[in-house]
Amino acid sequence: MKEEVINTDIWNLLETGKNYNRMQTLYEQAEDNYDQYHGRQWKNLKKPKSAGEPIVLNIIKPIVKNKINTVNESSYEIVFNPNTYETEEELESLRAVAKGLTQFIMRMWEKSQSGKKVRSIVKNSCITSEGIIYFFNEDDNIKSEEVYKNNIYYGNENDSDIQNQPYILATFRRTVKEVREKARKYKEVNKNELTDDEIKNIVSDMDYWEETSKDKRVVEVSPMCTVVRKFERKEDGKIWISESTRTCEILKEQSTECELYPFAHYVWEDEVGYARGVSEISFIIDNQRAINKIATRRDIATTIGAYPKLVADTSVVKNPQALNQVGSTVELNGMRADDVNKVVSYLRPVSMSADAYNLQQDLIQGTKELLGAGDVALGNVNPEQASGKAILAVMNASKQPLNEQVENFKYFLEDCAKIILDIIKAYYIDGITLYTTTDEINDLGQTEQIETPFKITQEELEKLDLNLKIDITPQSAYDKYAQEMSLENLLIKGMITLEEYAEALPEDSTMPKPTLESIIRKRQEKRNKIAQMQQEMNAYDSAIKQEIAMMGGDTSEMSSMQASGNASGENITEQNNPQM
């Protein structure tokens, strides 16, 4: 008798989420959207019998690419800035902390290739309505992982705010070997009551039918199984985590000490009452299919009726096969060559109505225009027929429909920064060492980055939420240029000094900030030398005056010499301090 398989509580919760998603046709819709994007647009459709390969005119891919490029080209940077402070000393301290945290996140972002994952998330969000990123701590390193829409299950599917969820389930497809090793590690570290037999019972399964691209998973190279990870907010306000396969709970519930769920999701367009949002292409699939069908029917009609067809009475032709051979001789039975037109002729081609072509073009152009992805937006414009300013103005206007997506992208990055800061506060219990980086010019005139370490205790980390704010600053070339022009105008108007101008410049400005700081530093060194020389001259003059006075001499001539020397010193100072 076959032993009954008993699912874990987490797995039963997962089945509840799967049933809800099936009712919402989430899996079918996501798969269909991917197929449409990649050109598999006749999948599951009845193909015309009289045609060869059905025609595909994929308008979805260029539309999606245009939109995701528009969002991704709005490059942003996560920056921490002081928010509240009481004294100038506290402000300077917060500035150092903010700069150190900004550089820490930049390094973590590059090391974990989060930028690449974020671009993929924007793409998947446009195609399937939602993209998710997952942050976690591993060996004192904060890492990130992209999670597909099919692998996330919310405790409240009607609320798009992840931090309001009662619980979140995330599924991962992992090798059996990896899962067993993780179970043994959890057993040793957390003293789980997991037996060796239970670990051995972690075997491969076929629970991949809800995975993205499930058709590619029918054959897996290594034995794999599905692992479900549960995150739940408890009464203490902390996020608790547990992990399970179908039959084995490999990680008992324990606190992560984090206050935020480690997930941030980017929803392409919000839909009231649904956490997943709406994708860009779900409602134009019917248009795409209609375009393909019209093009295929036109191809069939052209094949059947657009070319002349040979008609022959083969009873009087000895070799009928010669009728279709180039340069061959047609032999007739008892008929003169002059009468050949009576038994061999051609059917005239049938002219095709332009209505089908016009409808096809109207569908293509109309769909693109309604989605804000016309010829100008897609770059299909002849620059010889329009001025540069006119093209730029139209392109800028075409981006206006994506303002909502661009704004949501900024909030998504802000959520990512909050989660990273929350993980830092939870896992770096001994504090964290940050670095302030300054650019200096060495003796060879080369720029060197000097890093100065400083440590922040956990108590200081806990106070950062009240004293720091997260800014998502634009980082495109035009944004940088606008910032620098604003600072330059303030400098020209005399509202700030050159030193303040150099300090306010971004680290990656087009203006060479290290070179400017080096010039200011050299000028200050010259001023210091002149001031020192002046001080030494004054001390020398005072000593001589005192000596002359003690000898009873006249110091008026000495005063005249001093005045002359002071004037000379002022001239030197003016020469070495040009007006700025």
Side-chain angles (χ1 to χ4, degrees):
M1 182 176 179
K2 186 176 180 181
E3 185 178 354
E4 182 180 0
V5 176
I6 300 177
N7 296 339
T8 61
D9 293 338
I10 298 178
W11 195 271
N12 290 332
L13 204 59
L14 174 65
E15 290 295 338
T16 302
K18 287 182 179 180
N19 291 334
Y20 178 85
N21 288 343
R22 291 189 189 104
M23 288 189 295
Q24 301 294 325
T25 66
L26 182 146
Y27 305 118
E28 294 82 355
Q29 187 67 63
E31 183 180 5
D32 194 14
N33 287 8
Y34 277 116
D35 286 335
Q36 295 294 320
Y37 175 78
H38 290 295
R40 298 186 289 268
Q41 297 172 348
W42 284 89
K43 185 178 178 180
N44 300 326
L45 294 181
K46 186 177 180 181
K47 301 178 182 179
K49 295 181 179 179
S50 56
E53 289 296 325
I55 291 177
V56 174
L57 298 177
N58 192 347
I59 68 167
I60 289 179
K61 178 171 280 190
I63 290 174
V64 169
K65 282 185 173 293
N66 165 66
K67 290 182 176 291
I68 62 178
N69 287 338
T70 301
V71 175
N72 284 329
E73 76 179 5
S74 302
S75 178
Y76 293 96
E77 182 181 15
I78 298 173
V79 178
F80 289 91
N81 282 314
N83 187 21
T84 57
Y85 54 91
E86 296 180 356
T87 63
E88 287 296 326
E89 291 77 11
E90 185 180 1
L91 174 59
E92 291 301 320
S93 176
L94 284 174
R95 280 178 176 170
V97 173
K99 189 173 182 180
L101 282 173
T102 300
Q103 293 180 351
F104 178 87
I105 286 188
M106 287 176 61
R107 291 179 179 178
M108 168 260 153
W109 202 261
E110 293 175 0
K111 189 174 181 180
S112 62
Q113 296 185 331
S114 297
K116 177 182 178 182
K117 294 166 187 172
V118 164
R119 288 191 293 272
S120 177
I121 285 169
V122 173
K123 175 182 175 181
N124 289 321
S125 175
C126 185
I127 295 174
T128 66
S129 80
E130 182 186 32
I132 305 109
I133 191 167
Y134 167 48
F135 294 97
F136 57 96
N137 181 71
E138 186 176 279
D139 300 327
D140 290 331
N141 289 315
I142 300 177
K143 299 183 178 180
S144 63
E145 181 176 352
E146 181 181 2
V147 182
Y148 289 101
K149 175 182 179 179
N150 292 20
N151 300 99
I152 285 288
Y153 300 85
Y154 300 124
N156 182 4
E157 289 283 354
N158 304 116
D159 192 347
S160 62
D161 189 347
I162 281 185
Q163 300 306 325
N164 288 340
Q165 296 295 330
Y167 68 84
I168 297 175
L169 302 180
T171 61
F172 304 89
R173 196 74 179 159
R174 300 287 189 256
T175 64
V176 173
K177 180 180 179 182
E178 179 184 350
V179 177
R180 286 179 177 177
E181 289 177 352
K182 181 176 286 189
R184 293 188 184 96
K185 179 180 177 181
Y186 287 152
K187 180 181 178 181
E188 295 173 0
V189 176
N190 303 315
K191 307 301 181 182
N192 286 356
E193 299 176 358
L194 199 62
T195 65
D196 292 336
D197 290 338
E198 288 175 321
I199 294 176
K200 290 180 180 179
N201 286 334
I202 298 175
V203 295
S204 60
D205 57 41
M206 298 178 64
D207 296 310
Y208 50 71
W209 298 107
E210 292 81 18
E211 297 281 334
T212 301
S213 302
K214 66 178 188 302
D215 294 340
K216 302 292 189 300
R217 300 178 183 271
V218 175
V219 179
E220 294 176 328
V221 177
S222 301
M224 304 188 76
C225 64
T226 296
V227 177
V228 55
R229 204 169 292 166
K230 180 184 177 184
F231 300 85
E232 184 176 6
R233 192 187 304 279
K234 296 290 187 178
E235 295 179 357
D236 60 356
K238 305 294 185 181
I239 305 299
W240 288 60
I241 183 175
S242 54
E243 195 167 336
S244 169
T245 62
R246 176 185 282 272
T247 60
C248 178
E249 188 175 7
I250 61 177
L251 176 63
K252 298 291 184 180
E253 194 174 55
Q254 65 181 29
S255 176
T256 64
E257 299 301 327
C258 291
E259 298 179 355
L260 299 177
Y261 285 110
F263 297 95
H265 74 157
Y266 177 63
V267 175
W268 187 256
E269 186 173 347
D270 293 321
E271 184 175 14
V272 177
Y274 189 47
R276 309 287 183 159
V278 182
S279 79
E280 184 70 24
I281 67 177
S282 294
F283 302 106
I284 61 170
I285 291 178
D286 290 338
N287 290 28
Q288 176 67 75
R289 287 173 174 163
I291 291 168
N292 291 343
K293 288 178 180 179
I294 292 173
T296 302
R297 293 186 186 114
R298 290 180 60 229
D299 177 58
I300 295 172
T302 301
T303 303
I304 293 175
Y307 302 98
K309 290 188 176 181
L310 178 65
V311 180
D313 183 0
T314 56
S315 63
V316 294
V317 179
K318 290 183 179 181
N319 53 343
Q321 68 277 7
L323 294 172
N324 294 321
Q325 294 177 357
V326 179
S328 60
T329 301
V330 180
E331 301 176 4
L332 302 177
N333 294 321
M335 181 178 288
R336 295 184 304 173
D338 294 342
D339 297 329
V340 69
N341 290 331
K342 297 179 181 180
V343 295
V344 178
S345 63
Y346 283 91
L347 295 178
R348 291 183 178 181
V350 179
S351 60
M352 188 184 303
S353 172
D355 292 342
Y357 173 78
N358 293 335
L359 176 59
Q360 174 187 314
Q361 293 303 113
D362 287 344
L363 279 173
I364 293 174
Q365 198 61 32
T367 302
K368 288 181 178 179
E369 294 295 340
L370 288 173
L371 292 175
D375 287 337
V376 175
L378 296 176
N380 302 325
V381 62
N382 186 356
E384 295 180 357
Q385 299 178 0
S387 67
K389 290 184 178 180
I391 295 173
L392 185 60
V394 175
M395 291 182 67
N396 289 335
S398 68
K399 295 179 182 179
Q400 295 304 312
L402 287 175
N403 284 346
E404 178 184 350
Q405 283 72 28
V406 173
E407 193 70 17
N408 288 342
F409 184 59
K410 293 173 62 177
Y411 291 130
F412 166 69
L413 292 179
E414 185 174 340
D415 290 340
C416 292
K418 291 178 180 178
I419 293 170
I420 295 171
L421 184 58
D422 185 51
I423 293 175
I424 292 174
K425 290 162 55 179
Y427 285 93
Y428 291 81
I429 57 177
D430 296 328
I432 182 174
T433 300
L434 301 176
Y435 296 87
T436 55
T437 303
T438 56
D439 294 323
E440 293 187 3
I441 306 297
N442 58 22
D443 297 336
L444 300 176
Q446 299 172 339
T447 303
E448 292 182 349
Q449 286 192 337
I450 307 300
E451 292 186 341
T452 305
F454 66 97
K455 192 167 185 177
I456 305 177
T457 64
Q458 189 180 33
E459 291 75 14
E460 291 174 327
L461 284 171
E462 291 294 337
K463 299 177 182 178
L464 290 181
D465 286 343
L466 300 176
N467 298 327
L468 287 180
K469 66 175 181 176
I470 301 171
D471 293 330
I472 308 300
T473 60
Q475 287 296 308
S476 69
Y478 294 109
D479 293 313
K480 292 179 184 178
Y481 178 73
Q483 292 175 14
E484 292 180 32
M485 286 300 298
S486 299
L487 291 173
E488 187 174 333
N489 289 334
L490 292 175
L491 176 65
I492 293 173
K493 294 178 181 179
M495 301 177 70
I496 59 175
T497 64
L498 183 61
E499 289 81 359
E500 292 170 333
Y501 170 73
E503 181 181 357
L505 280 175
E507 297 295 332
D508 55 350
S509 61
T510 53
M511 173 68 73
K513 183 174 180 176
T515 304
L516 194 59
E517 290 175 336
S518 176
I519 293 173
I520 295 173
R521 186 166 54 251
K522 289 178 179 179
R523 286 184 178 180
Q524 186 61 44
E525 289 174 357
K526 289 182 179 179
R527 293 193 194 102
N528 294 338
K529 288 180 180 180
I530 294 172
Q532 184 178 0
M533 291 172 59
Q534 188 68 44
Q535 187 176 2
E536 291 175 354
M537 290 175 61
N538 292 337
Y540 178 74
D541 291 342
S542 297
I544 293 178
K545 283 182 179 181
Q546 187 177 2
E547 187 69 25
I548 294 173
M550 291 175 62
M551 295 174 61
D554 185 6
T555 60
S556 59
E557 183 178 354
M558 189 64 195
S559 299
S560 177
M561 293 174 60
Q562 181 182 1
S564 177
N566 290 340
S568 176
E570 290 174 359
N571 290 334
I572 295 174
T573 303
E574 291 177 358
Q575 292 174 7
N576 287 277
N577 287 274
Q579 187 176 359
M580 294 177 288

